[in-house]
Amino acid sequence: MLARYWKQRTLSQKVLILFILTLVFRTLFSTNVGLIDDETYHWSWAKNLQLSYFDHPAMIAWLEAITTKIFGDTYFGVRLPGFLCFTATVVLLYKLAKDLFDEWAAIFAGFVVLWSPFWGFGGYVASPEPPFMLCFVAAAYVFWQGVREDSKQWSVKKTWLWLGVLMGLGLNSKFIIALIAPGFGLYMLMTPSRRKDLLSPWPWVGFLIATVMCSPIFIWNHLHDWPGFRYQFHDRHEGGGGINIGRWFGFFGAQLLFCTPFLYALVVLAFISGFVKRAEARWRYLFCLTVPSLAVFYPQPLFADFKPHWSGAAYTLLLMGAGGIWSQGLMWGHRQIVKPRSKVYTRGILAFFIPLTLIAYSPFFYPWIPSAFHLFAPHAEWKTTYDFSNEFTGWEELGDFVNRRQREIHAETGHKPFLAALRYETTAQTTWGTKQKIYMLNSARSNYTVMQPVEEMKNLEGQNAIVVTTEKYDSNPLEYAKFDSCDKQELKTYRHGVHARTFNVYLCKNFQGIIYSPGEIPPSARH
């Protein structure tokens, strides 16, 4: 009966059913798996709302402030904005891919975003990326409506007013959405019939709208001596040590790993096709909107450190071209490069996706990786950090332990120790676990150290502290801050009886300030 019902459904109905079932799975998974450090970092921003923040603009904090106000500080409350933005991104990407190519291309793009290890698993994380990606894809969608060459084309006014709003929202999510804007201009310059749009007032009105909407970012940075701009546009691109070919190949390997080889090949073919077939509006559109991002992020690893996901926004648009190639095949001149629905690419993509997806998800249901490790390497030492799923666990137990220890010390000595950590990741997770103020004792800059008032840190001097570190970031507090002494106590947590985490909880006596290296400037000396 079920088979007959399924057979009677149209392709669109089948897609909708599978999409709903996938969303149900993603909802259940995201509400039953703990938060990773970046998620608690951005959640902690929502507890102290600002116009912007050191690492990123404030959109994710604003959204989470609303949802956690309604649903509480729960996994659901923290992840709901990201879930809604991710879902809307998939829907828009599907509609746009169907518009540019066909329904099978849209299915391809939707499947990859929902189930690939890179997009699908990354889409769970409550971070600036989901609202940024929604604005990025929405801006691409709106721009296409304005330049498409049929009766459905939007007016110039409507297109650029919408783009102004979307770019403003996107800039309040993540700065790199700005890289799509040169693509708009490039497309109009490469399209003779659209060049006149640049002479109309509406692109410039859209630019003005976006600029006004991102004024909170400028105001916050002005009030705090421009730390976010220095970090985003200078500091995080330093430290590469000059040209390094090996680092670039590390970046390239990461692209292959995240996309998987067969999908990466289709993405590259889509980008090349965008240039080769630029006489067609749809291919010219994909090329123009993605070339600025790739032109920035592909050379960067030669000169500086990088994050492997920075090219992800451009890849997301190129997925539509990859889906078009997979669905319709690819001809360059009289030469067929890829056959329609190529079995080689279909099987190649699934051969990577299926095992990688199982490996990514299954440890969250049961910690089997330690047993597999001992099976293949019986004499090697197992470390809990080898199982990535462990990082999502243990923080509530740590919070209970630290809060109890703080109460005990307070009762014994009459003085309540303050709580601290050494890295932003541990500071964020300890804040989540304890639901208390956690100080970051480190000269490295993060939103915590930027927002820790100098006077408040001075007032902590002379007090004792409970300092938390983990097996992943195992450091001695005495290397980062001045104390008379620090005594360590270990807390181990378990999943299904298997050791998952080791937390180091230090009781440190007589705080005397953070240690700064000779080249660093303490906050009290900054202007």
Side-chain angles (χ1 to χ4, degrees):
M1 183 176 179
L2 188 61
R4 185 167 67 250
Y5 172 83
W6 182 255
K7 190 175 181 180
Q8 293 172 347
R9 300 305 97 194
T10 65
L11 179 60
S12 296
Q13 289 172 332
K14 291 176 181 177
V15 168
L16 180 59
I17 292 169
L18 291 174
F19 182 54
I20 291 172
L21 291 175
T22 300
L23 292 183
V24 170
F25 171 80
R26 292 183 68 86
T27 301
L28 293 173
F29 186 83
S30 63
T31 53
N32 286 279
V33 171
L35 303 177
I36 195 66
D37 46 32
D38 273 4
E39 294 182 288
T40 54
Y41 186 44
H42 301 124
W43 161 82
S44 71
W45 294 1
K47 302 293 103 179
N48 182 26
L49 286 179
Q50 301 282 330
L51 293 174
S52 188
Y53 296 89
F54 171 72
D55 311 69
H56 294 292
M59 182 62 70
I60 188 62
W62 297 341
L63 295 174
E64 287 186 17
I66 296 170
T67 55
T68 54
K69 183 72 173 178
I70 298 170
F71 300 104
D73 294 324
T74 60
Y75 300 156
F76 182 77
V78 172
R79 288 186 170 135
L80 182 59
F83 177 85
L84 294 176
C85 290
F86 179 82
T87 302
T89 300
V90 175
V91 172
L92 275 179
L93 192 69
Y94 183 92
K95 288 172 64 67
L96 184 54
K98 187 176 178 180
D99 218 7
L100 292 172
F101 296 98
D102 56 32
E103 189 162 21
W104 278 109
I107 291 170
F108 178 95
F111 169 78
V112 169
V113 172
L114 286 167
W115 286 105
S116 71
F118 179 40
W119 283 275
F121 203 81
Y124 288 106
V125 178
S127 68
E129 271 70 19
F132 152 68
M133 282 305 305
L134 174 58
C135 292
F136 189 89
V137 172
Y141 177 86
V142 167
F143 183 73
W144 175 250
Q145 305 314 308
V147 300
R148 60 189 303 161
E149 299 173 350
D150 58 21
S151 60
K152 297 179 180 179
Q153 183 187 101
W154 289 9
S155 69
V156 175
K157 177 181 177 180
K158 179 180 178 181
T159 299
W160 286 99
L161 289 179
W162 269 106
L163 282 175
V165 172
L166 289 169
M167 291 297 291
L169 293 172
L171 287 166
N172 278 290
S173 302
K174 201 167 183 180
F175 292 141
I176 61 172
I177 195 173
L179 290 175
I180 199 174
F184 299 153
L186 181 61
Y187 181 90
M188 290 188 288
L189 291 173
M190 290 180 65
T191 309
S193 63
R194 306 308 323 175
R195 290 172 189 166
K196 65 181 185 297
D197 294 352
L198 291 171
L199 300 177
S200 78
W202 298 113
W204 313 108
V205 171
F207 176 81
L208 179 62
I209 291 171
T211 302
V212 172
M213 287 183 65
C214 66
S215 58
I217 303 168
F218 290 95
I219 294 171
W220 183 88
N221 273 276
H222 174 69
L223 292 174
H224 295 88
D225 195 27
W226 309 97
F229 284 174
R230 281 203 303 270
Y231 171 70
Q232 289 290 350
F233 301 116
H234 180 267
D235 295 353
R236 75 184 311 176
H237 306 288
E238 291 282 296
I243 294 177
N244 188 324
I245 300 297
R247 183 174 54 233
W248 189 90
F249 278 105
F251 163 81
F252 179 71
Q255 308 311 292
L256 285 177
L257 176 64
F258 283 170
C259 291
T260 70
F262 285 91
L263 176 61
Y264 186 73
L266 286 178
V267 167
V268 171
L269 285 173
F271 180 70
I272 296 173
S273 297
F275 180 76
V276 172
K277 300 163 77 73
R278 62 190 179 279
E280 294 184 45
R282 61 183 181 178
W283 286 110
R284 183 168 66 253
Y285 163 84
L286 289 179
F287 173 78
C288 290
L289 265 61
T290 57
V291 69
S293 294
L294 299 180
V296 169
F297 294 129
Y298 261 68
Q300 173 164 339
L302 281 172
F303 308 100
D305 293 334
F306 66 91
K307 292 289 181 69
H309 67 278
W310 283 347
S311 304
Y315 292 165
T316 302
L317 296 185
L318 290 172
L319 282 180
M320 297 184 290
I325 292 171
W326 175 81
S327 173
Q328 301 173 1
L330 178 62
M331 298 286 294
W332 285 351
H334 299 291
R335 184 180 179 185
Q336 186 169 54
I337 307 300
V338 179
K339 295 180 180 179
R341 311 267 186 90
S342 165
K343 291 182 179 179
V344 172
Y345 281 96
T346 303
R347 291 170 180 171
I349 290 171
L350 292 177
F352 281 93
F353 271 29
I354 292 174
L356 286 176
T357 299
L358 289 173
I359 291 171
Y361 280 99
S362 58
F364 290 91
F365 297 98
Y366 185 83
W368 57 268
I369 293 180
S371 299
F373 177 88
H374 290 303
L375 179 65
F376 290 101
H379 303 296
E381 179 186 1
W382 165 258
K383 295 182 179 180
T384 57
T385 52
Y386 295 163
D387 185 347
F388 176 65
S389 66
N390 284 336
E391 293 191 28
F392 294 75
T393 69
W395 296 102
E396 285 84 358
E397 294 97 316
L398 172 73
D400 292 340
F401 180 86
V402 168
N403 286 338
R404 184 174 65 251
R405 189 78 185 101
Q406 185 187 48
R407 290 193 299 269
E408 291 171 350
I409 295 170
H410 190 192
E412 292 170 3
T413 65
H415 299 285
K416 185 178 181 180
F418 69 90
L419 306 182
L422 304 180
R423 295 179 59 100
Y424 87 86
E425 300 94 336
T426 317
T427 304
Q429 291 283 35
T430 309
T431 303
W432 172 262
T434 62
K435 301 298 187 291
Q436 291 197 59
K437 167 78 173 180
I438 309 296
Y439 293 91
M440 180 174 161
L441 305 184
N442 197 319
S443 61
R445 305 204 83 185
S446 75
N447 194 68
Y448 294 121
T449 56
V450 168
M451 299 306 296
Q452 287 174 173
V454 175
E455 297 79 9
E456 189 173 350
M457 297 304 294
K458 287 289 292 182
N459 291 337
L460 294 176
E461 293 183 8
Q463 299 182 37
N464 296 338
I466 295 176
V467 184
V468 174
T469 70
T470 68
E471 74 276 50
K472 182 177 181 180
Y473 304 117
D474 186 14
S475 300
N476 189 332
L478 293 174
E479 297 173 3
Y480 293 86
K482 299 173 186 176
F483 291 99
D484 288 347
S485 63
C486 288
D487 297 320
K488 183 171 76 171
Q489 187 175 2
E490 280 190 354
L491 170 68
K492 293 184 178 181
T493 62
Y494 297 82
R495 299 166 56 202
H496 300 279
V498 179
H499 177 210
R501 300 300 306 270
T502 299
F503 298 99
N504 304 312
V505 182
Y506 292 84
L507 175 59
C508 296
K509 305 289 185 66
N510 188 22
F511 175 64
Q512 300 153 52
I514 294 172
I515 296 174
Y516 293 91
S517 63
E520 293 176 319
I521 303 174
S524 58
R526 295 176 187 147
H527 298 287

